Amino acid sequence: MATTAQLFEEPFDADEYIERLAWRTPGGGSKGGAEAFDPKRLLEEFENHIEELKQLDEKLQRRVEKLEHQCHREAKEFAHKVQDLQRSNQVAFQHFQELDEHISYVATKVCHLGDQLEGVNTPRQRAVEAQRLMTYFNEFLDGELRSDVFHNPEKIKEAADIIQKLHLIAQELPFDRFADVKAKIASKYHDLERQLIQEFTAAQRRGEIGRMREVAAVLLHFKGYAHCVDVYIKQCQEGAYLRNDVFEDTGTLCQRVNKQVGEVFSSPEAVMAKLIQNIFENKLQAHVKEKLDGTRHSDAEQYLKNLYDLYSRTTALAAKLTEFNLGSDKHTFLSKLIKNIFSCYLESYIDMEKDYLRNRSAMILQRYYDSKNHQKRPIGGGSIQELKERIRQRTNLPLGPSIDTHGETFLSQEVVVNLLQETRHAFERCNRLSDPSDLPKNAFSIFLLLVEHLCVDHIDYALEIGLSAIPSADAKNANLYFLDVVQQANTIFHLFDKQFNDHLMPLISSSPKLTECLHKKKETIEQMEVKLDTGIDRTLNCMVGQMKHILATEQKKTDFRPEDENNVMIQYTTACSKVCAYVSRQVDRVRKSMDGKNVDTVLMELGVRFHRLIHEHLQQYGYSSMGGMLAICDVAEYRRCAKDFRVPLVLQLFDTLHALCNLLVVAPDNLKQVCSGEQLTNLDRNLLHAFVQLRLDYRPSRLGRHFS
């Protein structure tokens, strides 16, 4: 096995190396078994290999020493080179400092010399310029313009510069001595100014941006520069408004002109602002006036729609125009332009809005009542009719027949949707057209109109009519339509509340008007809830009255005292069957008419009254043994009916009543034990005694002794 340095490269495993060496040695490994193993041969191989490793180590050590010596020598050479470079760098830096000082010295001399030359050249140039202007001034003084500059159209720029300066000089001359020459200079000034504007206009028509820029730069020092801008603004609008949409045309025009203005004029923001101002004060104002003035006094609905649309599109256009450079305060600038157009309309907006909403709401309501052939009854306070109605409601005295509405609730979801839609549009217009400081106040005034027409004129009126239509509790076969009123009113309340949250709240949420709105809403709903509660209470009374009528006409005294005790074939009495059928129908009506916790509340009240009626009804009869069993069957049927209420209290009451009825059939000896049962132990002893007294065997069996 040849020994080289490559065998000891990482990762190196000494055990593996020895094993590999032993395996390669004949007789040194396990190959051939124990007989083939030769330890002497293996020892000899190890000793030889150790010698080879020592020789390899010495060889590598000499090589390392040689490389270290070479590295030290190169390090010394490199250090000498670095020192030489540092010395060279120091010499170069010294030369650089000397050169820098020399350049500074020369620059100072050159600047000083330049200042001296400028001091000499500036007066000379001024003198030359003055002499040149005096030469041209003499031509005007003589009345004959001989210089080519005033006659050559190609030198109009130079002529304009000269005449502009002469015009400034002429302003300082006394009028009495130089009136004639001043007039000639002024005439030439205006003539050149006119020529320049004409040249600018012609270049604009030809689309020569470079020529327009040159002429505009010359006119910048003339008084007619503003007129040049006006001409540009007028000409760039020619042919721009060919469609019917002035807002789209304006946006397209400004987008096209904006780039050109920046290339032509030295102050493009001022020109762009003047263009937009011209468009707003002429095109847009005329368009708005035409659209609004024609409908302002003839069609309020169309007027408000047009005002909202025009104002919205104008503000949207202004927002789009803010992307252009119009100066430092472009938002204020555009706001003033919009205000100048719409101020006369916005001042009276809210009055127009309220008048329209009031008239429109009244028309919607009147159209509905006309479709029903209904003449609205005045609902007022303090009248004899109202007093009679209140007495009839509270005492059920026959003070005249109740109003027959023929099942009409006088509530219409279509009317409600129309009123809410009109109000929603009003809120949207109010949000857009009102001044931010007046927005909460205006929104509140619109909300009050909604309350007036929807809540008072429609819902409250329907509740009043519904209350008047509720029959007295002793009426027979009464049609109870008030639950239909409750159902529709409940739906309308949800729609009203949704609009309040979705459209009114965002307008007033951060203002003091929020408290007023919430209070008004709460007050309005509470007033209607009082009437709803009153109507529901009277409707329940009518239901109980109808049950009482059924029991009075269908229940016979012999039902619970059958002549043949052994031949009773019915499960429950006819009166019980009809009452349960009636109650089930009313429970379904209540569930359809209400939602949420109101269902449980009303059904609990109806269930309690139903239980009280049955409890009092059962105490009017005497019971034989079989009659008591039949009473228990009736109560069991009533209890099954009570399960439809899904109100634990009602079911508990009928469970207790069922337990009381067991007292009618229990054997006399077991009576005391039954009275002490789980369901009866907490009841008043007098109540238990009263039920036991209904038994026909009360006296013969001396049952009273159990309660003495």
Side-chain angles (χ1 to χ4, degrees):
M1 179 177 176
T3 306
T4 61
Q6 284 76 12
L7 293 174
F8 301 96
E9 292 180 353
E10 294 294 336
F12 174 74
D13 189 341
D15 293 338
E16 183 183 353
Y17 182 79
I18 297 297
E19 287 293 335
R20 190 164 62 249
L21 179 61
W23 181 76
R24 293 188 180 211
T25 302
S30 59
K31 187 176 181 181
E35 294 80 6
F37 180 70
D38 188 355
K40 292 182 179 180
R41 181 71 177 271
L42 184 61
L43 176 61
E44 182 182 351
E45 181 64 26
F46 279 176
E47 289 175 348
N48 292 335
H49 199 74
I50 289 172
E51 287 299 324
E52 291 178 6
L53 289 176
K54 288 180 179 179
Q55 293 174 6
L56 177 62
D57 180 60
E58 292 174 356
K59 181 179 178 182
L60 291 176
Q61 189 64 34
R62 287 194 298 272
R63 187 177 177 187
V64 168
E65 290 175 355
K66 181 180 178 182
L67 290 174
E68 287 179 349
H69 178 70
Q70 183 180 352
C71 182
H72 287 308
R73 187 180 69 253
E74 290 179 357
K76 289 180 180 179
E77 292 175 357
F78 180 75
H80 289 308
K81 288 182 180 180
V82 170
Q83 290 176 356
D84 293 340
L85 289 173
Q86 285 179 339
R87 286 193 293 269
S88 300
N89 184 57
Q90 288 178 352
V91 172
F93 182 72
Q94 290 175 357
H95 291 167
F96 174 77
Q97 284 184 323
E98 293 174 359
L99 181 60
D100 184 57
E101 292 174 358
H102 187 65
I103 290 173
S104 298
Y105 174 76
V106 172
T108 303
K109 289 293 185 181
V110 170
C111 290
H112 179 66
L113 182 60
D115 291 340
Q116 289 180 333
L117 290 174
E118 185 178 2
V120 173
N121 189 51
T122 300
R124 180 180 174 279
Q125 285 182 338
R126 289 176 179 172
V128 171
E129 180 68 16
Q131 183 183 13
R132 189 168 69 93
L133 291 175
M134 288 172 65
T135 302
Y136 293 129
F137 185 81
N138 285 334
E139 292 184 14
F140 280 98
L141 196 61
D142 296 340
E144 183 181 356
L145 299 178
R146 297 179 296 276
S147 299
D148 180 59
V149 70
F150 295 117
H151 304 288
N152 190 347
E154 295 181 359
K155 295 184 178 181
I156 190 171
K157 182 177 179 181
E158 185 180 351
D161 180 60
I162 294 169
I163 203 68
Q164 194 267 338
K165 292 177 179 177
L166 289 176
H167 186 263
L168 291 175
I169 293 172
Q171 301 298 318
E172 305 297 327
L173 298 176
F175 183 78
D176 51 349
R177 293 178 55 192
F178 298 96
D180 186 50
V181 70
K182 290 178 70 172
K184 291 177 182 178
I185 292 174
S187 175
K188 189 63 177 176
Y189 178 90
H190 294 304
D191 184 51
L192 272 175
E193 187 179 64
R194 186 178 65 256
Q195 291 180 39
L196 287 168
I197 292 176
Q198 290 174 351
E199 177 64 21
F200 182 87
T201 305
Q204 184 178 359
R205 288 200 176 100
R206 295 192 300 268
E208 298 177 357
I209 302 298
R211 184 58 180 164
M212 290 170 64
R213 181 168 57 249
E214 292 176 6
V215 176
V218 174
L219 277 169
L220 183 62
H221 305 291
F222 281 76
K223 294 180 180 178
Y225 178 74
H227 183 58
C228 170
V229 174
D230 293 339
V231 169
Y232 173 79
I233 289 174
K234 180 181 179 182
Q235 192 160 311
C236 70
Q237 293 182 60
E238 293 178 359
Y241 293 93
L242 299 178
R243 296 180 295 181
N244 292 328
D245 195 334
V246 65
F247 298 98
E248 287 292 332
D249 289 339
T250 298
T252 304
L253 171 64
C254 293
Q255 192 74 38
R256 173 172 58 83
V257 170
N258 181 58
K259 181 180 179 182
Q260 190 180 82
V261 167
E263 295 174 348
V264 172
F265 296 98
S266 59
S267 54
E269 67 279 357
V271 177
M272 199 67 193
K274 194 169 185 179
L275 169 64
I276 292 174
Q277 182 177 357
N278 181 272
I279 293 172
F280 270 71
E281 293 178 350
N282 293 285
K283 292 288 184 183
L284 290 183
Q285 189 155 12
H287 179 70
V288 170
K289 185 176 178 63
E290 177 188 358
K291 286 284 187 180
L292 295 181
D293 288 358
T295 57
R296 188 169 190 175
H297 302 292
S298 59
D299 189 347
E301 179 180 11
Q302 192 60 45
Y303 168 78
L304 290 170
K305 287 181 179 179
N306 288 345
L307 178 59
Y308 175 76
D309 180 64
L310 290 169
Y311 189 82
S312 298
R313 299 196 67 185
T314 304
T315 52
L317 175 62
K320 187 177 180 181
L321 295 177
T322 54
E323 67 184 51
F324 305 127
N325 184 11
L326 306 177
S328 58
D329 199 1
K330 51 188 174 184
H331 294 285
T332 303
F333 168 70
L334 291 169
S335 297
K336 287 182 179 179
L337 293 179
I338 296 174
K339 185 176 181 181
N340 290 338
I341 295 176
F342 289 98
S343 59
C344 61
Y345 303 106
L346 297 182
E347 288 173 356
S348 60
Y349 154 70
I350 193 61
D351 294 328
M352 291 280 291
E353 185 71 80
K354 290 194 293 185
D355 290 342
Y356 164 72
L357 188 59
R358 187 179 294 109
N359 295 333
R360 178 68 176 171
S361 300
M363 185 198 72
I364 291 172
L365 290 172
Q366 189 58 48
R367 188 168 57 193
Y368 167 72
Y369 293 123
D370 290 343
S371 70
K372 300 294 182 182
N373 294 321
H374 176 73
Q375 182 67 37
K376 280 194 76 173
R377 299 172 58 214
I379 305 297
S383 65
I384 298 298
Q385 182 64 32
E386 182 181 1
L387 179 61
K388 291 169 64 178
E389 178 64 21
R390 290 181 179 276
I391 295 174
R392 190 181 69 81
Q393 290 177 14
R394 286 165 172 73
T395 64
N396 293 324
L397 293 176
L399 299 178
S402 61
I403 298 174
D404 188 1
T405 62
H406 303 288
E408 180 60 56
T409 62
F410 292 104
L411 285 173
S412 168
Q413 286 198 27
E414 181 182 356
V415 169
V416 172
V417 168
N418 289 336
L419 291 175
L420 292 175
Q421 186 173 12
E422 292 292 343
T423 310
R424 178 171 62 82
H425 292 326
F427 281 136
E428 290 174 352
R429 289 191 290 264
C430 177
N431 186 30
R432 175 70 69 180
L433 301 175
S434 295
D435 186 88
S437 60
D438 295 331
L439 177 58
K441 178 183 66 175
N442 293 346
F444 181 62
S445 64
I446 293 174
F447 173 67
L448 291 180
L449 288 175
L450 175 63
V451 171
E452 176 185 348
H453 292 97
L454 176 61
C455 299
V456 178
D457 291 348
H458 191 54
I459 304 176
D460 192 68
Y461 177 75
L463 293 178
E464 289 285 354
I465 295 296
L467 286 171
S468 302
I470 298 175
S472 59
D474 56 356
K476 300 176 182 179
N477 299 320
N479 292 320
L480 303 177
Y481 295 113
F482 192 79
L483 289 180
D484 297 332
V485 177
V486 173
Q487 180 184 6
Q488 294 188 32
N490 187 42
T491 303
I492 294 171
F493 282 155
H494 287 308
L495 295 174
F496 172 74
D497 191 59
K498 178 174 174 55
Q499 180 160 99
F500 183 90
N501 293 325
D502 292 350
H503 296 97
L504 178 60
M505 284 294 289
L507 308 184
I508 60 170
S509 58
S510 58
S511 76
K513 285 293 179 182
L514 174 62
T515 305
E516 289 186 55
C517 285
L518 292 174
H519 176 72
K520 183 65 178 177
K521 175 190 173 187
K522 181 181 178 183
E523 180 184 38
T524 303
I525 291 179
E526 285 179 349
Q527 289 174 354
M528 288 188 283
E529 284 180 344
V530 169
K531 294 184 179 181
L532 285 170
D533 290 344
T534 302
I536 291 172
D537 181 70
R538 291 181 54 207
T539 300
L540 295 182
N541 284 339
C542 288
M543 291 179 182
V544 174
Q546 187 67 20
M547 296 180 217
K548 187 181 295 185
H549 174 69
I550 294 172
L551 291 172
T553 55
E554 299 293 336
Q555 195 85 72
K556 299 178 177 57
K557 291 187 177 181
T558 57
D559 286 345
F560 303 114
R561 300 172 67 178
E563 295 179 359
D564 187 355
E565 292 279 333
N566 299 319
N567 193 23
V568 179
M569 304 298 295
I570 59 174
Q571 295 181 349
Y572 41 79
T573 64
T574 303
C576 171
S577 175
K578 291 187 176 182
V579 167
C580 288
Y582 178 79
V583 170
S584 295
R585 291 196 301 272
Q586 303 314 312
V587 169
D588 290 340
R589 289 192 65 184
V590 170
R591 291 195 183 281
K592 292 178 182 178
S593 303
M594 302 175 195
D595 59 3
K597 295 182 179 179
N598 293 330
V599 176
D600 294 337
T601 302
V602 173
L603 287 181
M604 183 172 70
E605 182 62 28
L606 176 61
V608 170
R609 297 186 188 190
F610 175 37
H611 167 266
R612 186 185 305 123
L613 172 66
I614 300 302
H615 186 277
E616 293 174 353
H617 173 71
L618 291 175
Q619 289 183 310
Q620 298 175 10
Y621 300 93
Y623 299 89
S624 65
S625 176
M626 184 55 65
M629 291 297 297
L630 195 56
I632 291 175
C633 291
D634 277 4
V635 173
E637 184 65 16
Y638 291 137
R639 184 173 61 175
R640 185 196 62 77
C641 180
K643 290 181 179 179
D644 295 339
F645 286 71
R646 302 173 198 165
V647 179
L649 175 62
V650 175
L651 190 59
Q652 181 183 348
L653 290 173
F654 276 94
D655 286 341
T656 303
L657 182 59
H658 188 271
L660 282 171
C661 288
N662 286 332
L663 298 177
L664 301 176
V665 298
V666 69
D669 295 339
N670 298 330
L671 186 61
K672 190 171 184 179
Q673 179 183 354
V674 172
C675 289
S676 303
E678 181 181 352
Q679 289 183 310
L680 301 179
T681 185
N682 294 325
L683 295 182
D684 186 5
R685 299 278 292 176
N686 293 328
L687 176 61
L688 302 178
H689 191 191
F691 253 82
V692 173
Q693 286 178 325
L694 300 176
R695 294 174 55 145
L696 296 180
D697 62 346
Y698 175 75
R699 292 185 183 278
S701 299
R702 298 177 60 198
L703 300 180
R705 56 190 172 83
H706 296 290
F707 300 95
S708 60

